[in-house]
Amino acid sequence: MVQIDSSLIASDSKGKSSGVEGIGVNYGFLGNNLPSSTQVINLLKSRNIQNIRIFDPNTDVLKALDGSGISVILGTRNEDLQALASDPTFATNWVLTNVIPHASTVKFTYISAGNEVIPGPLATFVLGAMQNLGSALTAYNLHIPVTTTISLQVLGTSFPPSNGTFSDDAVQFLQPIAQFLATKQYPLLANIYTYFAYAGNPAQIQLDYALLKTTAPVLRDGQFQYNNMFDAMVDSLYVALEKVGQPAMQVVVTETGWPSAGDVYATIDNAQTYANNLISHVSSGQGTPRRSGKVLETYIFALFNENQKPAGTEQNFGLFYPDMTEVYHNNLTP
């Protein structure tokens, strides 16, 4: 049994000023020209970015995070979900390999069992993977919330937000997952993109509404008023959670962003507008209309343009080019 002294976990002796409240960044690895993980962690520190998310337990990145003071959401590979769910020993070994060596030097914010697998063939393994990972962590006296990451494809209805409802093929998985999370008081992680909603329906949606640029209400939904689409999408998920009996569940937005190239709406100007308006909105602490006055923890997608993702917009969500120069000026540094 490895006993971890909580006083050792991710203490930062340098007494740096804090990063922008509530904001983190996704650090993806799908590029053949990306800087080394040590260079990346130094870039994050120089920009005072203190929260990141990685999609799988990359050994080099975890080593580079040791002692950095940067908190991380750690994902499992989707292809490991079945083994994590069916074999507690596999889950224990996953924790021993990927968490224990770094537990005293890296702050793990959450562990995500899978990314966007509900609904789908892997959805049936998510809850079991969460339970087995949670048991393995507890056995080593580690108190790291285990959850999963969804996309808004889980919603059968999302407009207006008061109609937010999980689809029939998603609710069978999400109702028990939400129950498990509620028992532990863990959040649900969600990827929320106004860009894709807008690009799929530009005739019906105002660009400024999707870019968080409007100041006057665009949508009235009962007692709630929305001047940006991001809040409306988050609140539709909160309503869906209420409808499965979880009105107190917190949501963490694990991905959101706007591409700077790849289609007519993906411009550097729009990407910069979205990112900086989002940072300002989240860090203000105003929350969403249905969850007002509470910082909505949000992670921008993504740190770098990644050239091994599908061609087009997917390669152009980065805040930085692989040479670590800015794609556009962002307000991530307070």
Side-chain angles (χ1 to χ4, degrees), residues 254-266:
T254 30
E255 289 178 33
T256 191
W258 196 285
S260 60
D263 79 14
V264 64
Y265 313 114

Side-chain angles (χ1 to χ4, degrees), residues 5 15 21 34 94 105-106 110 146 195 204 214 243 258 278 284 290 327 329:
D5 179 353
E21 185 178 16
L34 297 176
W94 193 96
T105 51
V106 175
Y110 313 110
V146 182
Y195 164 74
Q204 299 293 319
T214 52
K243 289 176 182 172
W258 196 285
L278 177 86
S284 75
R290 285 179 176 269
V327 176
H329 177 68

Side-chain angles (χ1 to χ4, degrees), residues 119-152:
L122 295 176
T124 190
F125 304 116
V126 173
L127 181 57
M130 289 165 57
Q131 290 169 327
N132 283 342
L133 285 167
S135 296
L137 290 163
T138 300
Y140 290 99
N141 200 31
L142 292 171
H143 307 288
I144 302 168
V146 182
T147 176
T148 191
T149 305
I150 59 167
S151 78
L152 286 200

Side-chain angles (χ1 to χ4, degrees), residues 26 38 116-117 125 127 145 180 199 204 206 232 284-285 292 294 315:
N26 285 269
T38 303
E116 296 189 348
V117 298
F125 304 116
L127 181 57
F180 172 84
Q204 299 293 319
Q206 295 177 34
S284 75
S292 60
K294 184 175 190 334
Q315 295 188 0

Side-chain angles (χ1 to χ4, degrees), residues 1-296:
M1 244 356 128
V2 179
Q3 297 294 319
I4 304 297
D5 179 353
S6 61
S7 68
L8 293 174
I9 293 179
S11 60
D12 185 4
S13 59
K14 298 183 188 66
K16 291 184 306 188
S17 62
S18 61
V20 176
E21 185 178 16
I23 290 283
V25 181
N26 285 269
Y27 173 15
F29 315 135
L30 295 177
N32 61 13
N33 56 353
L34 297 176
S36 72
S37 49
T38 303
Q39 289 174 298
V40 173
I41 300 309
N42 286 334
L43 171 67
L44 294 170
K45 289 164 75 171
S46 74
R47 298 300 301 257
N48 214 5
I49 297 169
Q50 299 189 343
N51 300 283
I52 65 168
R53 172 181 179 232
I54 60 175
F55 294 86
D56 58 73
N58 181 296
T59 305
D60 290 341
V61 173
L62 290 170
K63 283 179 181 168
L65 282 167
D66 283 337
S68 66
I70 295 169
S71 301
V72 61
I73 298 177
L74 176 61
T76 71
R77 297 180 185 89
N78 289 345
E79 53 266 36
D80 286 341
L81 285 170
Q82 184 170 1
L84 287 166
S86 59
D87 184 358
T89 303
F90 186 92
T92 297
N93 287 337
W94 193 96
V95 168
L96 282 170
T97 302
N98 301 310
V99 181
I100 294 294
H102 310 282
S104 62
T105 51
V106 175
K107 182 173 190 302
F108 292 100
T109 315
Y110 313 110
I111 291 172
S112 176
N115 180 51
E116 296 189 348
V117 298
I118 302 168
L122 295 176
T124 190
F125 304 116
V126 173
L127 181 57
M130 289 165 57
Q131 290 169 327
N132 283 342
L133 285 167
S135 296
L137 290 163
T138 300
Y140 290 99
N141 200 31
L142 292 171
H143 307 288
I144 302 168
V146 182
T147 176
T148 191
T149 305
I150 59 167
S151 78
L152 286 200
Q153 297 294 314
V154 299
L155 296 180
T157 311
S158 61
F159 183 86
S162 57
N163 283 346
T165 312
F166 292 124
S167 65
D168 290 343
D169 52 354
V171 72
Q172 59 179 309
F173 304 109
L174 281 171
Q175 188 150 10
I177 286 169
Q179 178 63 49
F180 172 84
L181 293 172
T183 303
K184 306 276 192 181
Q185 295 185 301
Y186 294 166
L188 179 65
L189 314 181
N191 300 338
I192 293 178
Y193 287 93
T194 68
Y195 164 74
F196 290 115
Y198 173 77
N201 194 8
Q204 299 293 319
I205 298 168
Q206 295 177 34
L207 179 60
D208 284 359
Y209 182 61
L211 291 173
L212 289 84
K213 263 179 90 170
T214 52
T215 51
V218 173
L219 171 65
R220 287 182 169 82
D221 184 21
Q223 72 192 82
F224 302 106
Q225 299 183 351
Y226 294 88
N227 60 13
N228 73 76
M229 193 178 192
F230 178 77
D231 283 355
M233 293 173 79
V234 173
D235 274 359
S236 68
L237 178 55
Y238 275 127
V239 172
L241 286 165
E242 289 171 10
K243 289 176 182 172
V244 294
Q246 304 303 340
M249 179 154 299
Q250 294 301 311
V251 167
V252 172
V253 178
T254 30
E255 289 178 33
T256 191
W258 196 285
S260 60
D263 79 14
V264 64
Y265 313 114
T267 65
I268 284 180
D269 186 51
N270 284 348
Q272 179 178 36
T273 298
Y274 183 81
N276 287 338
N277 286 347
L278 177 86
I279 291 165
S280 174
H281 179 55
V282 168
S283 63
S284 75
Q286 67 191 71
T288 70
R290 285 179 176 269
R291 296 290 187 278
S292 60
K294 184 175 190 334
V295 172
L296 175 65

Side-chain angles (χ1 to χ4, degrees), residues 195 259 261-263 266 306 309-317:
Y195 164 74
D263 79 14
E306 297 173 59
K309 298 200 78 172
T313 55
E314 288 280 325
Q315 295 188 0
N316 291 286
F317 273 88

